[in-house]
């Protein structure tokens, strides 16, 4: 066999397909988050601006386009792009432009919006037909024939990883949680591109054991909160410092659980990939948020209005209202961006977070 082929893949494309062909998978969204953490996102966004892309576009999109224009910008150069439309409204256009800049083929998967409680058999058949076409294209690209037994192995690994990830998340159920603030987000890239690797589940189970052995935080019991949305990666240290200062602890969030889904067969896999936050109804999203908040004993909610993600943020006013009503907890919000550092105001964030802490403290005193 020759060198492994490289795929750039959108976050919620079925990883099990390229994994079954032993492809190296890179996620441009994860690369954008990593660049933001390293303080490089501003320069990438500016580079995209010089290419003619306006600031109103998602910062992940702008960073991905800048990296593609640089031939990968330090990432392995792709042989193919894999894109699905179950997460972002501009994902398809973003990947089409990257395919043009990189002169590589683009394989797309259309996953219809889910406005009901269940995914229909018709939708499953529609998506399965597309997956078969993508498999044939990957066979041609890699020169490797499709093998159902290899696919079954990577699916078992993905499910094992999902179970191990749940064990990590459930350390937040401890009476004195030992997870650091927003620590779960550190492992998101591993879940996105490494779910189908055998060593990933073992690594996560080892992490769960280490977390349970970690001594609890000293001082007063932190107040448990739910974090809504993607973090402001350029300002993550500020978020963590302020949360710690005010004795607030993020014990669950919208994104982390979405990376640990399980299934038993191919239709189950398809239905799992239909269940994204942006790709399903508001009611389904609220039910899942309420379930998580109740499971982890949430006492307050912090909502990030991510400037880059308008489809997500368009419903957040309703999400805020419904979570407040159904959970009976205080909810506050702040503005920012997942990648562009110019959209985050430290003063606004501190003011809003202090407000949340004060409301929670007053409620405790009133009991």
């Amino acid at each position: 066999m020759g060198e492994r082929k490289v795929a750039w893949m959108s976050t919620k494309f079925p990883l099990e397909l390229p994994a079954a062909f032993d492809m190296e998978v890179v996620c441009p969204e994860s690369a954008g988050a990593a660049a933001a953490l390293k303080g490089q996102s501003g320069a990438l966004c500016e580079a995209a601006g010089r290419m003619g892309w306006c600031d109103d576009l998602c910062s992940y999109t702008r960073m991905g386009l800048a990296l593609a224009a640089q031939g990968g910008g330090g990432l392995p150069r792709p042989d193919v792009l894999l894109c699905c439309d179950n997460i972002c409204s501009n994902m398809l256009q973003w990947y089409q432009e990257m395919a043009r800049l990189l002169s590589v083929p683009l394989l797309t998967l259309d996953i219809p919006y889910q406005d009901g409680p269940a995914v229909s058999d018709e939708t499953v058949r529609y998506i399965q037909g597309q997956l078969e076409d993508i498999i044939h294209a990957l066979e041609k690209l890699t020169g490797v024939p499709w093998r159902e037994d290899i696919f079954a192995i990577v699916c078992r690994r993905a499910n094992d990883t999902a179970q191990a990830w749940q064990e990590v998340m459930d350390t937040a159920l401890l009476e004195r949680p030992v997870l650091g603030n927003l620590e779960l987000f550190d492992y998101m890239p591993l879940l996105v591109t490494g779910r189908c690797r055998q060593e990933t589940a073992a690594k996560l189970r080892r992490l769960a054991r280490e977390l349970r052995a970690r001594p609890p935080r000293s001082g007063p019991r932190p107040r448990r909160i739910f974090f809504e949305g993607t973090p402001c990666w350029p300002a993550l240290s500020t978020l963590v410092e302020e949360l710690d200062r005010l004795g607030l602890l993020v014990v669950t969030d919208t994104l982390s659980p979405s990376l640990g889904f399980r299934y038993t067969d191919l239709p189950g896999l398809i239905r799992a990939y239909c269940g994204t936050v942006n790709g399903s109804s508001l009611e389904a999203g609220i039910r899942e948020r309420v379930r998580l908040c109740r499971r982890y004993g949430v006492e307050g909610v912090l909502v990030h209005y991510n400037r880059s993600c308008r489809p997500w943020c368009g419903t957040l006013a309703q999400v805020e209202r419904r979570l407040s009503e159904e959970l009976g907890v205080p909810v506050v919000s702040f503005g920012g961006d997942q990648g562009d550092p110019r959209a985050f105001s430290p003063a606004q964030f501190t003011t809003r977070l202090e407000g949340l802490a004060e409301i929670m403290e007053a409620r405790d005193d009133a009991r």
Side-chain angles (χ1 to χ4, degrees):
M1 294 180 62
E3 291 185 3
R4 293 175 70 195
K5 297 294 184 180
V6 177
W8 283 14
M9 184 194 79
S10 61
T11 305
K12 284 302 181 72
F13 187 94
L15 174 66
E16 292 83 351
L17 267 63
F21 286 100
D22 192 33
M23 301 181 73
E24 181 179 356
V25 179
V26 174
C27 177
E29 293 109 294
S30 296
L37 276 171
K38 296 173 183 175
Q40 300 168 352
S41 56
L44 287 171
C45 288
E46 290 173 7
R50 291 192 295 271
M51 294 164 59
W53 301 103
C54 69
D55 289 346
D56 289 335
L57 281 175
C58 162
S59 57
Y60 280 177
T61 298
R62 284 179 280 149
M63 286 189 277
L65 291 170
L67 290 170
Q70 298 168 14
L75 301 177
R77 197 179 192 286
D79 299 290
V80 65
L81 303 184
L82 304 174
C83 175
C84 58
D85 58 5
N86 58 344
I87 181 169
C88 298
S89 58
N90 72 327
M91 187 68 72
L92 180 57
Q93 290 77 19
W94 170 17
Y95 273 66
Q96 286 173 334
E97 182 61 14
M98 286 199 299
R100 185 190 68 81
L101 289 167
L102 291 160
S103 297
V104 297
L106 168 64
L107 302 179
T108 62
L109 177 64
D110 175 45
I111 296 183
Y113 180 82
Q114 302 303 308
D115 59 359
V119 181
S120 69
D121 292 341
E122 181 182 9
T123 296
V124 170
R125 288 192 296 271
Y126 170 66
I127 295 172
Q128 186 167 345
Q130 295 179 76
L131 294 179
E132 291 169 359
D133 289 341
I134 292 169
I135 287 169
H136 293 322
L138 291 177
E139 284 182 313
K140 185 176 180 180
L141 175 77
T142 62
V144 176
W146 175 256
R147 289 179 52 181
E148 288 290 343
D149 58 333
I150 299 297
F151 179 64
I153 289 171
V154 300
C155 288
R156 284 198 298 271
R157 290 174 179 171
N159 277 273
D160 194 27
T161 294
Q163 179 60 45
W165 182 232
Q166 188 65 56
E167 294 171 20
V168 172
M169 291 189 291
D170 279 353
T171 61
L173 293 171
L174 295 171
E175 184 178 351
R176 301 274 300 192
V178 293
L179 276 166
N181 258 311
L182 302 177
E183 186 175 358
L184 286 177
F185 289 117
D186 293 345
Y187 311 103
M188 280 175 54
L190 177 64
L191 270 292
V192 171
T193 58
R195 290 195 310 278
C196 298
R197 293 199 292 265
Q198 185 173 8
E199 65 270 19
T200 302
K203 184 180 295 186
L204 291 174
R205 288 202 169 92
R206 185 164 59 249
L207 171 64
R209 291 194 298 271
E210 290 171 357
L211 287 172
R212 290 184 180 277
R214 184 186 290 179
R217 294 161 170 254
S218 59
R221 180 187 69 84
R223 293 185 175 90
R224 297 166 173 259
I225 67 171
F226 174 83
F227 187 90
E228 169 66 38
T230 308
C232 298
W233 297 113
L236 192 66
S237 60
T238 299
L239 269 64
V240 170
E241 288 169 8
E242 290 299 285
L243 286 163
D244 287 345
R245 179 178 69 84
L246 294 167
L248 304 178
L249 180 64
V250 175
V251 291
T252 187
D253 64 277
T254 326
L255 290 180
S256 298
S258 73
L259 296 169
F261 52 83
R262 279 160 278 181
Y263 52 87
T264 57
D265 52 21
L266 181 59
L269 178 151
I270 291 171
R271 287 186 166 92
Y273 278 98
C274 288
T276 59
V277 173
N278 285 353
S280 52
S281 70
L282 173 64
E283 291 300 321
I286 289 174
R287 283 196 300 271
E288 177 61 11
R289 291 169 171 94
V290 169
R291 183 191 72 81
L292 288 168
C293 288
R294 286 178 173 157
R295 177 178 177 83
Y296 293 102
V298 162
E299 303 162 80
V301 176
L302 179 63
V303 177
H304 174 209
Y305 276 79
N306 178 5
R307 183 179 180 276
S308 276
C309 206
R310 288 173 177 79
W312 193 324
C313 292
T315 63
L316 283 187
Q318 277 281 62
V319 170
E320 286 189 66
R321 181 180 64 82
R322 292 283 297 277
L323 291 183
S324 178
E325 290 175 355
E326 297 194 28
L327 296 169
V329 300
V331 180
V332 302
S333 62
F334 70 98
D337 191 86
Q338 60 198 14
D340 194 332
R342 297 170 296 180
F344 177 74
S345 167
Q348 184 213 49
F349 176 73
T350 296
T351 299
R352 299 291 176 84
L353 197 62
E354 287 176 344
L356 178 62
E358 289 172 7
I359 297 170
M360 294 171 74
E361 184 177 357
R363 288 165 63 92
D364 286 348
D365 291 343
R367 290 191 175 104

